[in-house]
């Protein structure tokens, strides 16, 4: 199952988990309104890949207690210093991701949450943090690492629950649970203050604290995030095509030179003029022939290859091939066309197709992990530059009078994904993404 959510500004985050299957093919189709005028001349496939798409792959496990067990063992001296750091980071990452997803679900305005559900989340979070702090390492080096982890998790937990309090309905039914959350957040704030995790100046400056916690989050994610090595495919083929095109054109140039020498005789002004025309034609047709051959040879073949390495052992644990191309509506597969639905607007849209095939070696994963989670961030800021400034004026009837109101201009982008695992039917999903010049306004999943 693929999840899509909006991040800050124009960032769109697409996430999916590769479960037992070792092979996964992912197709992402972006249907961009034709009125924006996007095409390959404005942004090429290579520019789109390097400037818009940013991917990250991490280990993933549904067994949330495994890293906690490792951290307990480490406190008894059964794990080395390196293993302790790794286990503690795994535990912190699993907790942070789980809490982030849970709070995101609770903030869904379409579903009303009960006080029992909210109390359970606070109770579980408090219990996890309590077990983490049960065994504090005595080694000074490990203690510093533990303090960084505990500092971040305390601040992160406080931020998530404060955001939940800010978005809960303003009714008496939620008064008691709000007070519970605020007491919990106050306790975490006092915990950081008691342990002197942050200086007074840093604690008083929200910007400074946010930047510090962002660095601590990277410290946590580093052991579970796979290193990537991206290679551009087709460089050797491109050289062969360039050489073949130049040689092929030179054959005709040589023939034309021999014919011109035979007709015009010795070197004269007429011969020099004809020679200039021949060489000018060579430059034009050589580039056209090279581009035509390049498109024909590389059609349907991957453009990039990624290799994934374990951050701790540097072992090669997976490979991924990637494609990116502009497509026509009529060239889409039937399932994708059906999901988009055949409308006039679909014919006018610019379609960008991103495809990846991934193969992972689960036997080389960290102990206890058999799944990976890929997060793809689409930075759609470039679309805002294509949108018109200003707002529209509309007229409405109100109490028998005509009123004029300003309405911001928004654009609808359709996103369709298709994921295919080994020996399983493809799963197609669709979302509507509403954007304006300043941000992504809303994301709506379409059944």
């Amino acid at each position: 199952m693929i999840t899509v959510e909006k991040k800050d500004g124009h960032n769109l985050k697409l996430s999916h988990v590769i479960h037992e299957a070792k092979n996964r093919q992912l197709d992402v189709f972006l249907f961009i309104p034709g009125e924006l005028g996007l095409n390959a001349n404005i942004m090429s496939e290579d520019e789109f890949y390097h400037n818009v798409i940013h991917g990250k792959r991490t280990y993933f496990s549904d067994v949330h207690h495994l890293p906690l067990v490792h951290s307990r063992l480490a406190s008894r001296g059964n794990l080395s210093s390196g293993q302790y750091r790794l286990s503690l980071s795994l535990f912190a990452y699993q907790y942070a991701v789980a809490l982030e997803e849970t709070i995101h679900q609770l903030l869904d305005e379409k579903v009303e949450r009960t006080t029992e559900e909210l109390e359970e989340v606070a109770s579980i979070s408090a219990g996890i943090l309590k077990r983490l702090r049960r065994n504090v390492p005595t080694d000074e080096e490990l203690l510093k690492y533990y303090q960084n982890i505990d500092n971040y998790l305390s601040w992160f937990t406080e931020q998530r629950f404060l955001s939940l309090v800010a978005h809960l309905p303003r009714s008496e039914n939620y008064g008691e649970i709000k007070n519970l959350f605020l007491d919990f957040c106050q306790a975490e704030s006092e915990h950081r203050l008691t342990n002197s995790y942050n200086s007074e100046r840093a604690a008083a400056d929200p910007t400074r604290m946010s930047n510090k916690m962002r660095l601590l989050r990277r410290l946590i994610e580093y052991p579970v995030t796979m290193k990537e090595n991206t290679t551009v495919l087709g460089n050797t083929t491109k050289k062969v095509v360039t050489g073949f095109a130049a040689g092929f054109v030179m054959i005709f140039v040589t023939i034309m030179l021999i014919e011109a020498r035979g007709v015009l005789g010795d070197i004269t002004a007429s011969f020099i003029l004809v020679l200039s025309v021949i060489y000018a034609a060579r430059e034009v047709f050589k580039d056209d022939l090279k581009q035509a051959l390049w498109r024909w040879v590389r059609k349907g073949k991957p453009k990039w290859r990624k290799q994934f390495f374990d951050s701790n052992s540097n072992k090669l644990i997976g490979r991924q091939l990637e494609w990116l191309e502009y497509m026509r509506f009529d060239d889409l597969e039937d399932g994708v066309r059906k999901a988009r639905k055949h409308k006039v607007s679909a014919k006018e849209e610019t379609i960008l197709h991103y495809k990846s095939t991934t193969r992972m070696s689960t036997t080389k994963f960290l102990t206890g992990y058999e799944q990976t989670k890929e997060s793809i961030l689409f930075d759609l800021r470039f679309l805002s530059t294509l949108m018109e400034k200003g707002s529209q004026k509309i007229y409405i009837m109100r109490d028998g009078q005509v009123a004029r109101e300003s309405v911001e201009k928004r654009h609808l982008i359709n996103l369709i994904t298709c994921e295919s695992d080994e020996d399983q039917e493809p799963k197609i999903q669709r979302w509507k993404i509403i954007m304006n010049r300043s941000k992504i306004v809303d994301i709506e999943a379409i059944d």
Side-chain angles (χ1 to χ4, degrees):
M1 182 65 68
I2 293 177
T3 59
V4 175
E5 58 182 317
K6 60 179 179 179
K7 307 299 287 185
D8 297 335
H10 292 98
N11 291 322
L12 181 73
K13 183 180 179 182
L14 185 151
S15 304
H16 67 115
V17 176
I18 298 181
H19 293 279
E20 292 77 9
K22 295 182 180 180
N23 294 323
R24 161 72 59 87
Q25 176 176 318
L26 173 66
D27 293 90
V28 180
F29 300 88
L30 278 172
F31 295 80
I32 300 171
E35 61 183 312
L36 296 181
L38 178 65
N39 54 49
N41 294 325
I42 294 177
M43 176 168 282
S44 66
E45 289 96 338
D46 289 347
E47 289 177 322
F48 191 93
Y49 177 81
H50 292 292
N51 298 326
V52 177
I53 301 177
H54 309 283
K56 180 176 68 174
R57 188 176 294 271
T58 60
Y59 287 110
F60 182 83
S61 175
D62 294 327
V63 187
H64 298 294
H65 66 274
L66 178 63
L68 179 59
V69 172
H70 282 183
S71 66
R72 287 177 175 172
L73 291 175
S75 66
R76 300 171 189 166
N78 293 335
L79 292 179
S80 65
S81 174
Q83 290 175 320
Y84 174 79
R85 289 169 177 260
L86 175 61
S87 297
L88 200 58
S89 292
L90 290 172
F91 166 67
Y93 178 75
Q94 291 287 145
Y95 168 71
V97 171
L99 181 60
E100 203 168 31
E101 293 180 353
T102 301
I103 298 299
H104 180 73
Q105 293 174 1
L106 292 176
L107 291 176
D108 188 354
E109 299 178 353
K110 299 176 182 178
V111 181
E112 185 176 354
R113 303 297 178 180
T114 63
T115 55
E116 289 76 11
E117 289 180 286
L118 301 174
E119 289 177 0
E120 184 182 12
V121 174
S123 175
I124 293 175
S125 297
I128 291 176
L129 294 177
K130 183 179 180 180
R131 287 194 293 271
L132 170 68
R133 298 161 183 165
R134 186 175 298 166
N135 296 298
V136 180
T138 56
D139 184 273
E140 185 176 349
E141 184 178 354
L142 297 182
L143 177 61
K144 182 62 177 177
Y145 195 81
Y146 163 83
Q147 289 175 340
N148 285 330
I149 300 293
D150 188 32
N151 186 17
Y152 175 78
L153 292 185
S154 175
W155 178 85
F156 179 78
T157 302
E158 178 186 352
Q159 288 297 307
R160 296 281 75 80
F161 278 97
L162 287 178
S163 69
L164 192 57
V165 171
H167 290 87
L168 283 176
R170 300 181 181 277
S171 64
E172 297 180 357
N173 297 335
Y174 293 95
E176 185 176 347
I177 193 65
K178 285 184 178 180
N179 292 331
L180 174 64
F181 286 167
L182 292 175
D183 292 340
F184 182 34
C185 294
Q186 182 63 33
E188 289 302 315
S189 179
E190 292 176 356
H191 173 75
R192 298 194 303 276
L193 184 63
T194 302
N195 289 276
S196 302
Y197 283 161
N198 307 292
S199 65
E200 293 183 3
R201 293 184 61 183
D205 188 347
T207 302
R208 188 171 174 178
M209 278 293 292
S210 177
N211 290 330
K212 178 180 180 179
M213 294 305 166
R214 178 174 53 85
L215 295 177
L216 293 182
R217 179 64 180 251
R218 291 179 60 186
L219 175 70
I220 291 173
E221 291 182 349
Y222 177 78
V224 297
T225 302
M226 302 175 186
K227 295 180 181 178
E228 295 182 4
N229 181 22
T230 304
T231 303
V232 180
L233 301 178
N235 287 332
T236 303
T237 306
K238 192 170 186 177
K239 294 177 181 178
V240 173
V241 168
T242 301
F244 177 80
F248 188 77
V249 171
M250 278 304 298
I251 293 176
F252 289 93
V253 170
T254 304
I255 294 174
M256 293 177 67
L257 285 175
I258 294 174
E259 292 293 331
R261 183 64 182 273
V263 174
L264 300 175
D266 296 332
I267 298 177
T268 61
S270 299
F271 179 77
I272 294 175
L273 179 61
V274 172
L275 187 65
S276 300
V277 173
I278 292 174
Y279 274 96
R282 184 199 70 165
E283 293 300 320
V284 173
F285 289 108
K286 182 185 70 173
D287 291 339
D288 291 344
L289 179 62
K290 181 178 69 174
Q291 293 177 6
L293 286 173
W294 175 248
R295 288 194 298 267
W296 178 72
V297 171
R298 295 295 301 168
K299 184 178 181 180
K301 294 184 179 179
K303 295 184 177 181
W304 301 275
R305 180 181 64 227
K306 283 184 178 179
Q307 292 179 311
F308 302 106
F309 299 88
D310 183 90
S311 299
N312 308 282
S313 64
N314 287 323
K315 292 182 179 178
L316 178 63
I317 56 178
R319 292 181 175 87
Q320 179 173 285
L321 297 176
E322 296 177 299
W323 292 255
L324 185 65
E325 60 180 343
Y326 285 91
M327 294 189 68
R328 298 185 307 152
F329 185 83
D330 294 336
D331 294 334
L332 297 174
E333 296 181 358
D334 293 339
V336 177
R337 283 206 302 266
K338 184 178 179 181
R340 177 62 188 94
K341 297 181 180 179
H342 192 162
K343 295 182 179 179
V344 176
S345 60
K347 288 285 187 179
E348 300 175 350
E349 291 173 328
T350 300
I351 305 173
L352 271 162
H353 174 213
Y354 168 79
K355 174 184 174 183
S356 68
T357 58
T358 308
R359 182 174 182 84
M360 307 299 293
S361 300
T362 56
T363 55
K364 298 180 181 179
F365 283 6
L366 288 174
T367 303
Y369 284 84
E370 297 180 353
Q371 305 169 17
T372 60
K373 181 177 183 178
E374 183 181 26
S375 299
I376 305 175
L377 198 67
F378 291 90
D379 188 353
L380 302 180
R381 282 180 297 177
F382 76 99
L383 288 178
S384 65
T385 61
L386 304 176
M387 298 178 182
E388 295 180 1
K389 297 181 180 180
S391 59
Q392 296 175 322
K393 303 294 183 181
I394 64 170
Y395 297 87
I396 59 175
M397 289 286 296
R398 182 181 298 162
D399 299 330
Q401 301 293 327
V402 177
R404 186 178 68 173
E405 292 190 359
S406 296
V407 180
E408 66 176 356
K409 294 181 180 179
R410 296 181 176 180
H411 296 272
L412 176 63
I413 297 172
N414 280 271
L415 172 68
I416 295 179
T417 62
C418 178
E419 55 178 333
S420 306
D421 289 330
E422 293 179 338
D423 303 326
Q424 293 185 9
E425 289 294 325
K427 299 177 183 178
I428 297 178
Q429 298 173 260
R430 178 189 170 198
W431 291 265
K432 286 183 178 180
I433 304 166
I434 302 173
M435 282 184 58
N436 58 23
R437 282 182 60 89
S438 60
K439 63 179 180 179
I440 294 177
V441 179
D442 189 28
I443 297 178
E444 178 185 358
I446 306 298
D447 188 5

